[in-house]
Amino acid sequence: MDTPDVGIPEQLARRMSMAEQHEYLRTKLTRRRALTAAGAFAGGGLLAGCASGPKSPARVSAPRAGSATGQAHGSAVTPFGRHLAFGADPKTQMRISWQVPLAVRKPYVRVGLTPWGLSRRIEAEVRDLHTPGLTGQRFALDQYYLHAALDNLRPGTTYYYGVGHEGFDPASRERHSTVGSFRTAPASPEKFVFTAFGDQGVTPDALANDKVLLGRHPAFHLHAGDICYADSVGLGAKSDIYDPSAWDLFLKQTESVAGSVPWMVTTGNHDMEAWYSPNGYGGQSARWSLPDNGFDARRAPGVYSFTYGNVGIVALDANDVSYEIPANKGYTDGRQTAWLDRRLGELRGSVDFVVVFFHHCAYSTSTHASDGGVRDAWLPLFTKHQVDLVINGHNHVYERTDAVKDGRVGRPVPVGASTDPTRDGIVYVTAGGAGKSLYRFPAGVEDSYEGKTTRHEPVKTFHWTKARQQQHDTVEWSRVRYTGYSFLSVEAETGATPKLKVSALAQNGRRIDYFEVRRGA
């Protein structure tokens, strides 16, 4: 490939696989269209004043109370990018996060049981993030993220909230339209829906997916990494092309959903932003407030767990074990895997179902295929603790396996079938069609999904080895494949025969896959 002609710097191209070069070029060609669409959707004027001249090396300020010195009167600064996340206990804890384009004084959240009764006022924490300029690539940028922790909430209760600061009161008549709402988890298990996908970015297709997703009325959403693509290369290196202002547009784009649905993210390879310490995750720590009950919330903010109703959710950082993209491989010295073993053991005896989500695929046949590092580190634990469902991103398609046991098909699970993890093995879902440019399946392999089921055939694919080599395989477990934008919707039922009713929906709302998980059925 003649790299100067296609727009990849020669030094960078030498370190990239063909798939990574392809993704880089697609990002470069579509970024202008995507950013324009997101800006039109969210409205203009919020980003003025964000860029500045070169400053000191990249840093994330230590979290501190809201005391930033204002650069403009507070009434002229409008908050944006609200996004919610549960604390460790979704029944009683919610975290509210947002962004302002300029530093403000005394930020806070107002909360109440009615939109007009926001009587409780909670001081917010400022986490300012500085990214230095880079000649020929980006301006220096200061970004201001604000976070408020709401504790001692009532289970199963709808709350209304507004975010503000000195000079901007969300309870005032002229700001009333900015008031949002959320609902805490119920005190005891009941039927609910959650959604999931990975690999979103700032695109018109991401907006369309969000709109359909919101119509499912999910109790929460799982984002399996590669959130924004501000780092368009995804190697976790300082030589990656990086535009931090893409986060401003992403948070504006996502606010229509994440402002009312807890947006529970984990970390993908494009989220290793090497300009921020530690481990390139300082940016994630600045922008998100996630449960801090993992093994180390500072070093690994995307590793945590929570329980909602009869389902335990575990978020993992697969960058720690990836053979394919090794920038952060081994950074936890095995602590994440040890924590996973303990946490799965704790959850197994307290809930009906355990769902694990992370970025790199354990089983997929699309562009990045399967990561042997994930398999080696975690699949024995998933089997040991009888995990019920595993959700991944990374490959920008929808693909779903049969029940996999000991690396082989434990039981075929065609569209509409039921499976029992205690007997059959585990179903793995790649839900990477959130909005970023789509991938393809291997040559000659057809899509197969509800309404267009093809004959089940072996698929020639590969998995990544410890030596970062591609080990070729011919596999039987690839059951459902869909090359299109989509997301996962899971309905959890309780009662005498609890079950997970798992569906995949295309961007137009059409169902493309469904199956059930029942234990001991």
Side-chain angles (χ1 to χ4, degrees):
M1 179 180 289
D2 188 349
T3 53
D5 290 342
V6 298
I8 305 178
E10 185 175 356
Q11 244 185 345
L12 178 61
R14 284 200 297 264
R15 292 195 302 273
M16 300 169 74
S17 68
M18 290 299 294
E20 291 161 347
Q21 291 184 37
H22 188 46
E23 176 65 10
Y24 171 87
L25 291 171
R26 286 191 295 190
T27 297
K28 185 175 180 179
L29 291 171
T30 60
R31 174 63 63 86
R32 182 179 298 275
R33 176 175 67 91
L35 298 188
T36 299
F41 170 82
L46 295 183
L47 303 183
C50 284
S52 61
K55 291 190 177 181
S56 57
R59 60 168 172 79
V60 184
S61 295
R64 54 191 174 85
S67 59
T69 302
Q71 297 177 351
H73 191 275
S75 61
V77 181
T78 302
F80 69 98
R82 294 173 302 172
H83 49 288
L84 305 176
F86 291 129
D89 180 7
K91 295 190 294 292
T92 63
Q93 296 179 322
M94 189 68 73
R95 306 299 181 242
I96 300 175
S97 304
W98 68 101
Q99 189 175 354
V100 288
L102 300 170
V104 296
R105 296 180 63 84
K106 300 179 180 178
Y108 61 88
V109 168
R110 286 190 180 275
V111 184
L113 295 175
T114 64
W116 54 88
L118 306 181
S119 57
R120 184 178 174 189
R121 179 167 165 158
I122 300 165
E123 186 179 74
E125 170 189 45
V126 179
R127 303 177 194 168
D128 55 305
L129 184 68
H130 176 71
T131 309
L134 188 61
T135 303
Q137 186 185 132
R138 64 172 181 254
F139 292 108
L141 185 64
D142 289 293
Q143 294 167 300
Y144 303 92
Y145 302 100
L146 304 106
H147 304 266
L150 278 59
D151 297 314
N152 302 314
L153 301 173
R154 302 176 190 172
T157 302
T158 297
Y159 286 89
Y160 296 86
Y161 74 95
V163 301
H165 50 262
E166 187 176 276
F168 187 102
D169 188 350
S172 63
R173 184 182 298 273
E174 61 271 22
R175 310 295 190 191
H176 188 71
S177 63
T178 67
V179 173
S181 66
F182 62 84
R183 187 169 180 83
T184 53
S188 57
E190 57 187 47
K191 183 189 294 187
F192 71 94
V193 170
F194 70 89
T195 53
F197 61 42
D199 306 82
Q200 189 174 16
V202 184
T203 75
D205 293 300
L207 292 173
N209 237 10
D210 280 354
K211 183 177 180 180
V212 179
L213 184 155
L214 188 59
R216 300 294 291 173
H217 306 291
F220 56 88
H221 176 72
L222 305 180
H223 197 310
D226 280 8
I227 304 167
C228 169
Y229 289 85
D231 179 331
S232 61
V233 178
L235 295 181
K238 285 191 174 181
S239 56
D240 287 2
I241 307 300
Y242 182 64
D243 176 12
S245 67
W247 279 105
D248 303 337
L249 295 171
F250 175 83
L251 291 173
K252 288 167 65 179
Q253 167 190 273
T254 311
E255 182 175 13
S256 62
V257 185
S260 59
V261 177
W263 209 250
M264 310 302 293
V265 306
T266 191
T267 315
N269 58 293
H270 285 270
D271 305 318
M272 293 188 289
E273 298 173 333
W275 305 268
Y276 317 115
S277 64
N279 310 113
Y281 297 153
Q284 187 177 42
S285 294
R287 298 181 182 103
W288 305 90
S289 282
L290 299 164
D292 59 0
N293 58 0
F295 70 95
D296 188 333
R298 180 175 177 271
R299 293 187 67 203
V303 180
Y304 56 89
S305 69
F306 63 92
T307 296
Y308 191 106
N310 64 336
V311 181
I313 304 289
V314 179
L316 298 175
D317 176 14
N319 293 315
D320 179 32
V321 298
S322 173
Y323 288 163
E324 179 196 6
I325 302 171
N328 272 359
K329 185 178 180 300
Y331 82 95
T332 74
D333 296 320
R335 293 174 62 205
Q336 177 178 203
T337 300
W339 172 84
L340 173 64
D341 191 10
R342 293 193 304 272
R343 189 62 185 130
L344 290 178
E346 294 164 354
L347 287 171
R348 187 70 279 164
S350 62
V351 294
D352 291 328
F353 301 104
V354 176
V355 175
V356 179
F357 75 109
F358 51 92
H359 186 64
H360 304 63
C361 295
Y363 290 101
S364 181
T365 64
S366 187
T367 303
H368 291 287
S370 308
D371 199 311
V374 168
R375 294 182 179 182
D376 290 347
W378 295 340
L379 266 56
L381 298 182
F382 297 164
T383 299
K384 173 184 175 182
H385 298 287
Q386 296 182 344
V387 166
D388 297 286
L389 180 66
V390 175
I391 300 170
N392 301 136
H394 203 37
N395 285 304
H396 303 178
V397 293
Y398 177 82
E399 186 172 18
R400 195 257 294 168
T401 70
D402 287 319
V404 177
K405 189 173 186 178
D406 300 324
R408 298 178 177 84
V409 175
R411 183 184 181 89
V413 186
V415 173
S418 294
T419 183
D420 178 357
T422 67
R423 175 194 65 210
D424 306 331
I426 302 168
V427 173
Y428 293 81
V429 177
T430 297
K436 200 60 178 167
S437 301
L438 295 169
Y439 288 173
R440 293 292 181 266
F441 291 102
V445 176
E446 296 182 71
D447 282 10
S448 182
Y449 54 90
E450 185 178 6
K452 189 189 173 183
T453 303
T454 59
R455 180 178 176 180
H456 187 66
E457 300 280 2
V459 177
K460 292 183 178 180
T461 181
F462 67 90
H463 69 271
W464 291 94
T465 69
K466 193 171 185 178
R468 208 189 176 197
Q469 301 296 315
Q470 297 179 6
Q471 177 67 51
H472 294 279
D473 307 309
T474 299
V475 303
E476 301 275 357
W477 42 252
S478 179
R479 174 60 60 174
V480 180
R481 296 176 297 276
Y482 177 73
T483 305
Y485 297 105
S486 59
F487 65 92
L488 205 62
S489 178
V490 182
E491 183 177 299
E493 293 188 0
T494 61
T497 56
K499 56 188 172 184
L500 295 179
K501 300 172 70 174
V502 185
S503 301
L505 301 180
Q507 187 186 61
N508 61 5
R510 178 169 53 93
R511 192 175 67 183
I512 56 173
D513 185 25
Y514 71 103
F515 65 99
E516 287 186 356
V517 178
R518 300 187 184 189
R519 297 181 63 83

